[in-house]
């Protein structure tokens, strides 16, 4: 095992499992966050969200290593025009989370929560909860305003309000089209 990184709730190590590079995430404190992350990864992997969970223990999880850069770095390097496909995929994943009534929580500032490589993968699901009114799409749109991918204006505000009021496919598609225009 090789030390890789450290976050607020866990320490990450790199290792090999069945010939593939994996991340072993060990819980820092006994808060039960690793068990929560394992629960959500099991559920969300079915929808192609998150790194593939390989196994979970009492205070650690093992998942596939995702080679890539954080979304913000990729966006700064590529610019808006070349980042549209990436943003579209992130919005798709946010929409799936909203439909599943899952709130990820970090989407208003996902600086270290979205990796872009061969595929686009959200990471760090330890704070996920079930929620009747999830905010993944709207929070990610707020983040896009913050990084100047889109401009805050009356139209965006109205579209976000409509989607927040009724999280259906029609409102999502209209909002998505506006964000990607």
């Amino acid at each position: 095992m090789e030390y890789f990184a450290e976050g607020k709730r866990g320490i990450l190590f790199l290792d090999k499992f069945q010939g593939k590079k994996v991340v072993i995430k060990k819980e820092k404190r006994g808060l039960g966050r690793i068990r929560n992350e394992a629960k959500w990864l099991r559920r969300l992997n079915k929808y192609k969200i998150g790194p593939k969970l390989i196994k979970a223990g009492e205070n650690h999880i093992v998942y596939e290593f995702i080679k890539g850069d954080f979304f913000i770095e990729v966006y700064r390097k590529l610019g808006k025009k070349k980042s549209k496909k990436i943003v579209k995929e992130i919005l798709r994943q946010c929409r799936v989370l909203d439909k599943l009534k899952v709130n990820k929580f970090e989407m208003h500032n996902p600086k270290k929560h979205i990796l872009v490589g061969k595929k686009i993968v959200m990471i760090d699901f330890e704070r996920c909860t079930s929620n009747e009114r999830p905010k993944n799409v709207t929070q990610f749109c707020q983040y896009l305003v913050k990084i100047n991918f889109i401009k805050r204006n009356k139209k965006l505000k109205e579209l976000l309000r409509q989607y927040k009021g009724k999280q259906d496919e029609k409102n999502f598609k209209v909002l998505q089209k506006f964000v990607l225009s």
Side-chain angles (χ1 to χ4, degrees):
M1 257 192 329
E2 169 190 337
Y3 174 83
F4 181 59
E6 191 166 334
K8 288 181 185 175
R9 297 170 198 87
I11 301 171
L12 305 176
F13 298 91
L14 296 179
D15 207 351
K16 292 265 186 189
F17 181 78
Q18 297 180 344
K20 294 184 179 179
K21 199 171 192 178
V22 296
V23 173
I24 300 170
K25 186 174 188 177
K26 293 188 174 190
E27 191 164 40
K28 274 187 177 176
R29 303 173 212 107
L31 301 173
R33 291 295 175 187
I34 291 293
R35 283 191 307 275
N36 191 57
E37 183 162 11
K39 173 186 116 174
W40 287 108
L41 284 176
R42 278 186 201 99
R43 184 172 177 205
L44 297 173
N45 281 177
K46 296 173 189 171
Y47 300 91
K48 297 183 180 356
I49 295 176
K52 183 181 177 193
L53 179 67
I54 296 167
K55 64 181 187 172
E58 189 63 28
N59 65 352
H60 74 281
I61 58 174
V62 180
Y63 56 81
E64 72 175 324
F65 174 76
I66 305 297
K67 185 174 172 69
D69 296 312
F70 292 120
F71 166 71
I72 188 64
E73 296 165 4
V74 174
Y75 169 65
R76 286 180 180 147
K77 188 167 48 174
L78 296 179
K80 179 179 178 174
K81 192 173 184 179
K82 292 182 180 177
S83 298
K84 284 185 180 185
K85 282 184 180 179
I86 296 165
V87 169
K88 185 176 184 177
E89 173 57 17
I90 297 167
L91 283 169
R92 182 201 68 79
Q93 291 183 39
C94 288
R95 172 68 180 138
V96 171
L97 291 172
D98 283 358
K99 288 193 315 190
L100 294 170
K101 306 280 189 220
V102 175
N103 209 11
K104 187 173 181 323
F105 280 109
E106 288 91 356
M107 297 314 296
H108 67 285
N109 194 24
K111 284 191 269 185
K112 295 183 178 181
H113 292 264
I114 303 168
L115 289 171
V116 178
K118 288 183 180 178
K119 53 186 178 175
I120 298 148
V121 181
M122 291 181 185
I123 58 172
D124 290 338
F125 289 86
E126 68 266 355
R127 291 185 61 210
C128 268
T129 61
S130 293
N131 191 311
E132 283 302 310
R133 301 190 58 78
K135 301 172 181 159
N136 302 291
V137 170
T138 54
Q139 284 186 349
F140 185 65
C141 287
Q142 290 169 347
Y143 178 68
L144 292 174
V145 168
K146 183 177 175 180
I147 64 169
N148 295 316
F149 184 87
I150 53 176
K151 300 285 184 226
R152 182 185 318 270
N153 60 34
K154 287 181 184 179
K155 179 72 173 169
L156 175 64
K157 200 172 181 178
E158 179 59 33
L159 294 174
L160 288 170
R161 189 176 296 123
Q162 285 174 357
Y163 179 78
K164 185 177 178 183
K166 187 175 182 185
Q167 292 186 357
D168 64 8
E169 210 56 37
K170 179 185 173 206
N171 285 338
F172 173 71
K173 291 289 185 195
V174 171
L175 176 60
Q176 181 186 47
K177 185 177 179 183
F178 179 82
V179 168
L180 297 173
S181 63

mmCIF file with all atom_site columns, all heavy atoms in Angstrom, residues 158-176:
data_model
loop_
_atom_site.group_PDB
_atom_site.id
_atom_site.type_symbol
_atom_site.label_atom_id
_atom_site.label_alt_id
_atom_site.label_comp_id
_atom_site.label_asym_id
_atom_site.label_entity_id
_atom_site.label_seq_id
_atom_site.pdbx_PDB_ins_code
_atom_site.Cartn_x
_atom_site.Cartn_y
_atom_site.Cartn_z
_atom_site.occupancy
_atom_site.B_iso_or_equiv
_atom_site.pdbx_formal_charge
_atom_site.auth_seq_id
_atom_site.auth_comp_id
_atom_site.auth_asym_id
_atom_site.auth_atom_id
_atom_site.pdbx_PDB_model_num
ATOM 1   N N   . GLU A 1 158 ? -34.940 32.001 -13.272 1.00 0.00 ? 158 GLU A N   1
ATOM 2   C CA  . GLU A 1 158 ? -36.287 31.471 -13.503 1.00 0.00 ? 158 GLU A CA  1
ATOM 3   C C   . GLU A 1 158 ? -36.247 29.969 -13.811 1.00 0.00 ? 158 GLU A C   1
ATOM 4   O O   . GLU A 1 158 ? -37.059 29.200 -13.291 1.00 0.00 ? 158 GLU A O   1
ATOM 5   C CB  . GLU A 1 158 ? -36.973 32.236 -14.644 1.00 0.00 ? 158 GLU A CB  1
ATOM 6   C CG  . GLU A 1 158 ? -38.363 31.742 -14.980 1.00 0.00 ? 158 GLU A CG  1
ATOM 7   C CD  . GLU A 1 158 ? -39.337 31.800 -13.804 1.00 0.00 ? 158 GLU A CD  1
ATOM 8   O OE1 . GLU A 1 158 ? -39.214 32.717 -12.961 1.00 0.00 ? 158 GLU A OE1 1
ATOM 9   O OE2 . GLU A 1 158 ? -40.217 30.925 -13.726 1.00 0.00 ? 158 GLU A OE2 1
ATOM 10  N N   . LEU A 1 159 ? -35.293 29.554 -14.636 1.00 0.00 ? 159 LEU A N   1
ATOM 11  C CA  . LEU A 1 159 ? -35.184 28.131 -14.977 1.00 0.00 ? 159 LEU A CA  1
ATOM 12  C C   . LEU A 1 159 ? -34.813 27.289 -13.756 1.00 0.00 ? 159 LEU A C   1
ATOM 13  O O   . LEU A 1 159 ? -35.329 26.177 -13.583 1.00 0.00 ? 159 LEU A O   1
ATOM 14  C CB  . LEU A 1 159 ? -34.167 27.922 -16.101 1.00 0.00 ? 159 LEU A CB  1
ATOM 15  C CG  . LEU A 1 159 ? -34.547 28.514 -17.457 1.00 0.00 ? 159 LEU A CG  1
ATOM 16  C CD1 . LEU A 1 159 ? -33.402 28.365 -18.445 1.00 0.00 ? 159 LEU A CD1 1
ATOM 17  C CD2 . LEU A 1 159 ? -35.816 27.866 -17.999 1.00 0.00 ? 159 LEU A CD2 1
ATOM 18  N N   . LEU A 1 160 ? -33.931 27.800 -12.911 1.00 0.00 ? 160 LEU A N   1
ATOM 19  C CA  . LEU A 1 160 ? -33.575 27.092 -11.681 1.00 0.00 ? 160 LEU A CA  1
ATOM 20  C C   . LEU A 1 160 ? -34.776 26.996 -10.742 1.00 0.00 ? 160 LEU A C   1
ATOM 21  O O   . LEU A 1 160 ? -35.017 25.953 -10.133 1.00 0.00 ? 160 LEU A O   1
ATOM 22  C CB  . LEU A 1 160 ? -32.404 27.781 -10.981 1.00 0.00 ? 160 LEU A CB  1
ATOM 23  C CG  . LEU A 1 160 ? -31.048 27.632 -11.657 1.00 0.00 ? 160 LEU A CG  1
ATOM 24  C CD1 . LEU A 1 160 ? -30.013 28.558 -11.017 1.00 0.00 ? 160 LEU A CD1 1
ATOM 25  C CD2 . LEU A 1 160 ? -30.567 26.190 -11.628 1.00 0.00 ? 160 LEU A CD2 1
ATOM 26  N N   . ARG A 1 161 ? -35.528 28.070 -10.649 1.00 0.00 ? 161 ARG A N   1
ATOM 27  C CA  . ARG A 1 161 ? -36.732 28.080 -9.811  1.00 0.00 ? 161 ARG A CA  1
ATOM 28  C C   . ARG A 1 161 ? -37.749 27.056 -10.331 1.00 0.00 ? 161 ARG A C   1
ATOM 29  O O   . ARG A 1 161 ? -38.348 26.317 -9.546  1.00 0.00 ? 161 ARG A O   1
ATOM 30  C CB  . ARG A 1 161 ? -37.345 29.480 -9.765  1.00 0.00 ? 161 ARG A CB  1
ATOM 31  C CG  . ARG A 1 161 ? -38.473 29.613 -8.754  1.00 0.00 ? 161 ARG A CG  1
ATOM 32  C CD  . ARG A 1 161 ? -39.028 31.029 -8.644  1.00 0.00 ? 161 ARG A CD  1
ATOM 33  N NE  . ARG A 1 161 ? -38.007 31.950 -8.141  1.00 0.00 ? 161 ARG A NE  1
ATOM 34  C CZ  . ARG A 1 161 ? -37.601 33.047 -8.781  1.00 0.00 ? 161 ARG A CZ  1
ATOM 35  N NH1 . ARG A 1 161 ? -38.125 33.372 -9.939  1.00 0.00 ? 161 ARG A NH1 1
ATOM 36  N NH2 . ARG A 1 161 ? -36.698 33.829 -8.254  1.00 0.00 ? 161 ARG A NH2 1
ATOM 37  N N   . GLN A 1 162 ? -37.931 26.999 -11.653 1.00 0.00 ? 162 GLN A N   1
ATOM 38  C CA  . GLN A 1 162 ? -38.868 26.034 -12.229 1.00 0.00 ? 162 GLN A CA  1
ATOM 39  C C   . GLN A 1 162 ? -38.424 24.597 -11.947 1.00 0.00 ? 162 GLN A C   1
ATOM 40  O O   . GLN A 1 162 ? -39.228 23.755 -11.559 1.00 0.00 ? 162 GLN A O   1
ATOM 41  C CB  . GLN A 1 162 ? -38.995 26.240 -13.742 1.00 0.00 ? 162 GLN A CB  1
ATOM 42  C CG  . GLN A 1 162 ? -39.812 27.441 -14.124 1.00 0.00 ? 162 GLN A CG  1
ATOM 43  C CD  . GLN A 1 162 ? -39.793 27.700 -15.628 1.00 0.00 ? 162 GLN A CD  1
ATOM 44  O OE1 . GLN A 1 162 ? -39.129 27.015 -16.394 1.00 0.00 ? 162 GLN A OE1 1
ATOM 45  N NE2 . GLN A 1 162 ? -40.530 28.715 -16.038 1.00 0.00 ? 162 GLN A NE2 1
ATOM 46  N N   . TYR A 1 163 ? -37.150 24.334 -12.144 1.00 0.00 ? 163 TYR A N   1
ATOM 47  C CA  . TYR A 1 163 ? -36.653 22.976 -11.904 1.00 0.00 ? 163 TYR A CA  1
ATOM 48  C C   . TYR A 1 163 ? -36.762 22.615 -10.423 1.00 0.00 ? 163 TYR A C   1
ATOM 49  O O   . TYR A 1 163 ? -37.160 21.500 -10.074 1.00 0.00 ? 163 TYR A O   1
ATOM 50  C CB  . TYR A 1 163 ? -35.198 22.829 -12.371 1.00 0.00 ? 163 TYR A CB  1
ATOM 51  C CG  . TYR A 1 163 ? -34.653 21.447 -12.102 1.00 0.00 ? 163 TYR A CG  1
ATOM 52  C CD1 . TYR A 1 163 ? -34.987 20.370 -12.927 1.00 0.00 ? 163 TYR A CD1 1
ATOM 53  C CD2 . TYR A 1 163 ? -33.847 21.197 -11.002 1.00 0.00 ? 163 TYR A CD2 1
ATOM 54  C CE1 . TYR A 1 163 ? -34.519 19.093 -12.662 1.00 0.00 ? 163 TYR A CE1 1
ATOM 55  C CE2 . TYR A 1 163 ? -33.369 19.924 -10.726 1.00 0.00 ? 163 TYR A CE2 1
ATOM 56  C CZ  . TYR A 1 163 ? -33.716 18.873 -11.558 1.00 0.00 ? 163 TYR A CZ  1
ATOM 57  O OH  . TYR A 1 163 ? -33.260 17.598 -11.279 1.00 0.00 ? 163 TYR A OH  1
ATOM 58  N N   . LYS A 1 164 ? -36.422 23.552 -9.560  1.00 0.00 ? 164 LYS A N   1
ATOM 59  C CA  . LYS A 1 164 ? -36.501 23.297 -8.121  1.00 0.00 ? 164 LYS A CA  1
ATOM 60  C C   . LYS A 1 164 ? -37.946 23.004 -7.707  1.00 0.00 ? 164 LYS A C   1
ATOM 61  O O   . LYS A 1 164 ? -38.200 22.122 -6.893  1.00 0.00 ? 164 LYS A O   1
ATOM 62  C CB  . LYS A 1 164 ? -35.965 24.508 -7.352  1.00 0.00 ? 164 LYS A CB  1
ATOM 63  C CG  . LYS A 1 164 ? -35.885 24.304 -5.869  1.00 0.00 ? 164 LYS A CG  1
ATOM 64  C CD  . LYS A 1 164 ? -35.272 25.522 -5.192  1.00 0.00 ? 164 LYS A CD  1
ATOM 65  C CE  . LYS A 1 164 ? -35.231 25.344 -3.690  1.00 0.00 ? 164 LYS A CE  1
ATOM 66  N NZ  . LYS A 1 164 ? -34.712 26.522 -3.016  1.00 0.00 ? 164 LYS A NZ  1
ATOM 67  N N   . GLY A 1 165 ? -38.899 23.731 -8.299  1.00 0.00 ? 165 GLY A N   1
ATOM 68  C CA  . GLY A 1 165 ? -40.312 23.534 -7.986  1.00 0.00 ? 165 GLY A CA  1
ATOM 69  C C   . GLY A 1 165 ? -40.868 22.230 -8.508  1.00 0.00 ? 165 GLY A C   1
ATOM 70  O O   . GLY A 1 165 ? -41.714 21.595 -7.867  1.00 0.00 ? 165 GLY A O   1
ATOM 71  N N   . LYS A 1 166 ? -40.395 21.814 -9.677  1.00 0.00 ? 166 LYS A N   1
ATOM 72  C CA  . LYS A 1 166 ? -40.871 20.567 -10.281 1.00 0.00 ? 166 LYS A CA  1
ATOM 73  C C   . LYS A 1 166 ? -39.698 19.915 -11.009 1.00 0.00 ? 166 LYS A C   1
ATOM 74  O O   . LYS A 1 166 ? -39.369 20.293 -12.133 1.00 0.00 ? 166 LYS A O   1
ATOM 75  C CB  . LYS A 1 166 ? -42.021 20.850 -11.247 1.00 0.00 ? 166 LYS A CB  1
ATOM 76  C CG  . LYS A 1 166 ? -42.668 19.596 -11.786 1.00 0.00 ? 166 LYS A CG  1
ATOM 77  C CD  . LYS A 1 166 ? -43.883 19.917 -12.643 1.00 0.00 ? 166 LYS A CD  1
ATOM 78  C CE  . LYS A 1 166 ? -44.520 18.644 -13.117 1.00 0.00 ? 166 LYS A CE  1
ATOM 79  N NZ  . LYS A 1 166 ? -45.625 18.904 -14.048 1.00 0.00 ? 166 LYS A NZ  1
ATOM 80  N N   . GLN A 1 167 ? -39.097 18.946 -10.349 1.00 0.00 ? 167 GLN A N   1
ATOM 81  C CA  . GLN A 1 167 ? -37.911 18.294 -10.897 1.00 0.00 ? 167 GLN A CA  1
ATOM 82  C C   . GLN A 1 167 ? -38.304 17.206 -11.899 1.00 0.00 ? 167 GLN A C   1
ATOM 83  O O   . GLN A 1 167 ? -38.074 16.025 -11.675 1.00 0.00 ? 167 GLN A O   1
ATOM 84  C CB  . GLN A 1 167 ? -37.050 17.712 -9.766  1.00 0.00 ? 167 GLN A CB  1
ATOM 85  C CG  . GLN A 1 167 ? -36.420 18.764 -8.909  1.00 0.00 ? 167 GLN A CG  1
ATOM 86  C CD  . GLN A 1 167 ? -35.460 18.174 -7.884  1.00 0.00 ? 167 GLN A CD  1
ATOM 87  O OE1 . GLN A 1 167 ? -35.294 16.982 -7.760  1.00 0.00 ? 167 GLN A OE1 1
ATOM 88  N NE2 . GLN A 1 167 ? -34.809 19.043 -7.143  1.00 0.00 ? 167 GLN A NE2 1
ATOM 89  N N   . ASP A 1 168 ? -38.863 17.641 -13.007 1.00 0.00 ? 168 ASP A N   1
ATOM 90  C CA  . ASP A 1 168 ? -39.227 16.671 -14.040 1.00 0.00 ? 168 ASP A CA  1
ATOM 91  C C   . ASP A 1 168 ? -38.262 16.776 -15.222 1.00 0.00 ? 168 ASP A C   1
ATOM 92  O O   . ASP A 1 168 ? -37.413 17.663 -15.281 1.00 0.00 ? 168 ASP A O   1
ATOM 93  C CB  . ASP A 1 168 ? -40.682 16.837 -14.477 1.00 0.00 ? 168 ASP A CB  1
ATOM 94  C CG  . ASP A 1 168 ? -40.980 18.176 -15.138 1.00 0.00 ? 168 ASP A CG  1
ATOM 95  O OD1 . ASP A 1 168 ? -40.033 18.955 -15.422 1.00 0.00 ? 168 ASP A OD1 1
ATOM 96  O OD2 . ASP A 1 168 ? -42.158 18.460 -15.379 1.00 0.00 ? 168 ASP A OD2 1
ATOM 97  N N   . GLU A 1 169 ? -38.427 15.863 -16.166 1.00 0.00 ? 169 GLU A N   1
ATOM 98  C CA  . GLU A 1 169 ? -37.515 15.792 -17.312 1.00 0.00 ? 169 GLU A CA  1
ATOM 99  C C   . GLU A 1 169 ? -37.619 17.035 -18.187 1.00 0.00 ? 169 GLU A C   1
ATOM 100 O O   . GLU A 1 169 ? -36.616 17.521 -18.708 1.00 0.00 ? 169 GLU A O   1
ATOM 101 C CB  . GLU A 1 169 ? -37.814 14.517 -18.126 1.00 0.00 ? 169 GLU A CB  1
ATOM 102 C CG  . GLU A 1 169 ? -36.639 13.931 -18.825 1.00 0.00 ? 169 GLU A CG  1
ATOM 103 C CD  . GLU A 1 169 ? -35.448 13.596 -17.913 1.00 0.00 ? 169 GLU A CD  1
ATOM 104 O OE1 . GLU A 1 169 ? -35.623 13.155 -16.771 1.00 0.00 ? 169 GLU A OE1 1
ATOM 105 O OE2 . GLU A 1 169 ? -34.312 13.806 -18.381 1.00 0.00 ? 169 GLU A OE2 1
ATOM 106 N N   . LYS A 1 170 ? -38.822 17.552 -18.352 1.00 0.00 ? 170 LYS A N   1
ATOM 107 C CA  . LYS A 1 170 ? -39.037 18.734 -19.195 1.00 0.00 ? 170 LYS A CA  1
ATOM 108 C C   . LYS A 1 170 ? -38.258 19.929 -18.641 1.00 0.00 ? 170 LYS A C   1
ATOM 109 O O   . LYS A 1 170 ? -37.500 20.584 -19.375 1.00 0.00 ? 170 LYS A O   1
ATOM 110 C CB  . LYS A 1 170 ? -40.518 19.063 -19.286 1.00 0.00 ? 170 LYS A CB  1
ATOM 111 C CG  . LYS A 1 170 ? -40.817 20.292 -20.124 1.00 0.00 ? 170 LYS A CG  1
ATOM 112 C CD  . LYS A 1 170 ? -42.289 20.644 -20.087 1.00 0.00 ? 170 LYS A CD  1
ATOM 113 C CE  . LYS A 1 170 ? -42.510 21.966 -20.797 1.00 0.00 ? 170 LYS A CE  1
ATOM 114 N NZ  . LYS A 1 170 ? -43.695 22.657 -20.313 1.00 0.00 ? 170 LYS A NZ  1
ATOM 115 N N   . ASN A 1 171 ? -38.426 20.214 -17.371 1.00 0.00 ? 171 ASN A N   1
ATOM 116 C CA  . ASN A 1 171 ? -37.721 21.346 -16.763 1.00 0.00 ? 171 ASN A CA  1
ATOM 117 C C   . ASN A 1 171 ? -36.206 21.145 -16.779 1.00 0.00 ? 171 ASN A C   1
ATOM 118 O O   . ASN A 1 171 ? -35.448 22.092 -16.981 1.00 0.00 ? 171 ASN A O   1
ATOM 119 C CB  . ASN A 1 171 ? -38.212 21.591 -15.334 1.00 0.00 ? 171 ASN A CB  1
ATOM 120 C CG  . ASN A 1 171 ? -39.570 22.258 -15.305 1.00 0.00 ? 171 ASN A CG  1
ATOM 121 O OD1 . ASN A 1 171 ? -39.984 22.908 -16.270 1.00 0.00 ? 171 ASN A OD1 1
ATOM 122 N ND2 . ASN A 1 171 ? -40.291 22.091 -14.211 1.00 0.00 ? 171 ASN A ND2 1
ATOM 123 N N   . PHE A 1 172 ? -35.770 19.900 -16.593 1.00 0.00 ? 172 PHE A N   1
ATOM 124 C CA  . PHE A 1 172 ? -34.336 19.617 -16.656 1.00 0.00 ? 172 PHE A CA  1
ATOM 125 C C   . PHE A 1 172 ? -33.790 19.881 -18.052 1.00 0.00 ? 172 PHE A C   1
ATOM 126 O O   . PHE A 1 172 ? -32.750 20.528 -18.207 1.00 0.00 ? 172 PHE A O   1
ATOM 127 C CB  . PHE A 1 172 ? -34.034 18.175 -16.240 1.00 0.00 ? 172 PHE A CB  1
ATOM 128 C CG  . PHE A 1 172 ? -32.592 17.804 -16.458 1.00 0.00 ? 172 PHE A CG  1
ATOM 129 C CD1 . PHE A 1 172 ? -31.592 18.332 -15.651 1.00 0.00 ? 172 PHE A CD1 1
ATOM 130 C CD2 . PHE A 1 172 ? -32.226 16.959 -17.496 1.00 0.00 ? 172 PHE A CD2 1
ATOM 131 C CE1 . PHE A 1 172 ? -30.258 18.022 -15.876 1.00 0.00 ? 172 PHE A CE1 1
ATOM 132 C CE2 . PHE A 1 172 ? -30.897 16.639 -17.722 1.00 0.00 ? 172 PHE A CE2 1
ATOM 133 C CZ  . PHE A 1 172 ? -29.908 17.169 -16.908 1.00 0.00 ? 172 PHE A CZ  1
ATOM 134 N N   . LYS A 1 173 ? -34.480 19.403 -19.073 1.00 0.00 ? 173 LYS A N   1
ATOM 135 C CA  . LYS A 1 173 ? -34.001 19.573 -20.453 1.00 0.00 ? 173 LYS A CA  1
ATOM 136 C C   . LYS A 1 173 ? -33.908 21.056 -20.826 1.00 0.00 ? 173 LYS A C   1
ATOM 137 O O   . LYS A 1 173 ? -32.952 21.473 -21.491 1.00 0.00 ? 173 LYS A O   1
ATOM 138 C CB  . LYS A 1 173 ? -34.907 18.840 -21.451 1.00 0.00 ? 173 LYS A CB  1
ATOM 139 C CG  . LYS A 1 173 ? -34.843 17.330 -21.357 1.00 0.00 ? 173 LYS A CG  1
ATOM 140 C CD  . LYS A 1 173 ? -33.538 16.807 -21.874 1.00 0.00 ? 173 LYS A CD  1
ATOM 141 C CE  . LYS A 1 173 ? -33.512 15.300 -21.886 1.00 0.00 ? 173 LYS A CE  1
ATOM 142 N NZ  . LYS A 1 173 ? -32.187 14.749 -22.037 1.00 0.00 ? 173 LYS A NZ  1
ATOM 143 N N   . VAL A 1 174 ? -34.887 21.850 -20.429 1.00 0.00 ? 174 VAL A N   1
ATOM 144 C CA  . VAL A 1 174 ? -34.869 23.288 -20.720 1.00 0.00 ? 174 VAL A CA  1
ATOM 145 C C   . VAL A 1 174 ? -33.679 23.945 -20.015 1.00 0.00 ? 174 VAL A C   1
ATOM 146 O O   . VAL A 1 174 ? -32.931 24.733 -20.618 1.00 0.00 ? 174 VAL A O   1
ATOM 147 C CB  . VAL A 1 174 ? -36.204 23.947 -20.317 1.00 0.00 ? 174 VAL A CB  1
ATOM 148 C CG1 . VAL A 1 174 ? -36.121 25.468 -20.407 1.00 0.00 ? 174 VAL A CG1 1
ATOM 149 C CG2 . VAL A 1 174 ? -37.347 23.429 -21.174 1.00 0.00 ? 174 VAL A CG2 1
ATOM 150 N N   . LEU A 1 175 ? -33.486 23.599 -18.753 1.00 0.00 ? 175 LEU A N   1
ATOM 151 C CA  . LEU A 1 175 ? -32.352 24.148 -17.994 1.00 0.00 ? 175 LEU A CA  1
ATOM 152 C C   . LEU A 1 175 ? -31.026 23.712 -18.599 1.00 0.00 ? 175 LEU A C   1
ATOM 153 O O   . LEU A 1 175 ? -30.128 24.521 -18.819 1.00 0.00 ? 175 LEU A O   1
ATOM 154 C CB  . LEU A 1 175 ? -32.446 23.694 -16.529 1.00 0.00 ? 175 LEU A CB  1
ATOM 155 C CG  . LEU A 1 175 ? -31.289 24.099 -15.616 1.00 0.00 ? 175 LEU A CG  1
ATOM 156 C CD1 . LEU A 1 175 ? -31.143 25.618 -15.538 1.00 0.00 ? 175 LEU A CD1 1
ATOM 157 C CD2 . LEU A 1 175 ? -31.490 23.501 -14.226 1.00 0.00 ? 175 LEU A CD2 1
ATOM 158 N N   . GLN A 1 176 ? -30.918 22.437 -18.928 1.00 0.00 ? 176 GLN A N   1
ATOM 159 C CA  . GLN A 1 176 ? -29.687 21.904 -19.529 1.00 0.00 ? 176 GLN A CA  1
ATOM 160 C C   . GLN A 1 176 ? -29.363 22.610 -20.856 1.00 0.00 ? 176 GLN A C   1
ATOM 161 O O   . GLN A 1 176 ? -28.223 22.993 -21.097 1.00 0.00 ? 176 GLN A O   1
ATOM 162 C CB  . GLN A 1 176 ? -29.823 20.403 -19.745 1.00 0.00 ? 176 GLN A CB  1
ATOM 163 C CG  . GLN A 1 176 ? -28.600 19.760 -20.348 1.00 0.00 ? 176 GLN A CG  1
ATOM 164 C CD  . GLN A 1 176 ? -28.832 18.299 -20.679 1.00 0.00 ? 176 GLN A CD  1
ATOM 165 O OE1 . GLN A 1 176 ? -29.856 17.952 -21.275 1.00 0.00 ? 176 GLN A OE1 1
ATOM 166 N NE2 . GLN A 1 176 ? -27.908 17.460 -20.293 1.00 0.00 ? 176 GLN A NE2 1
#
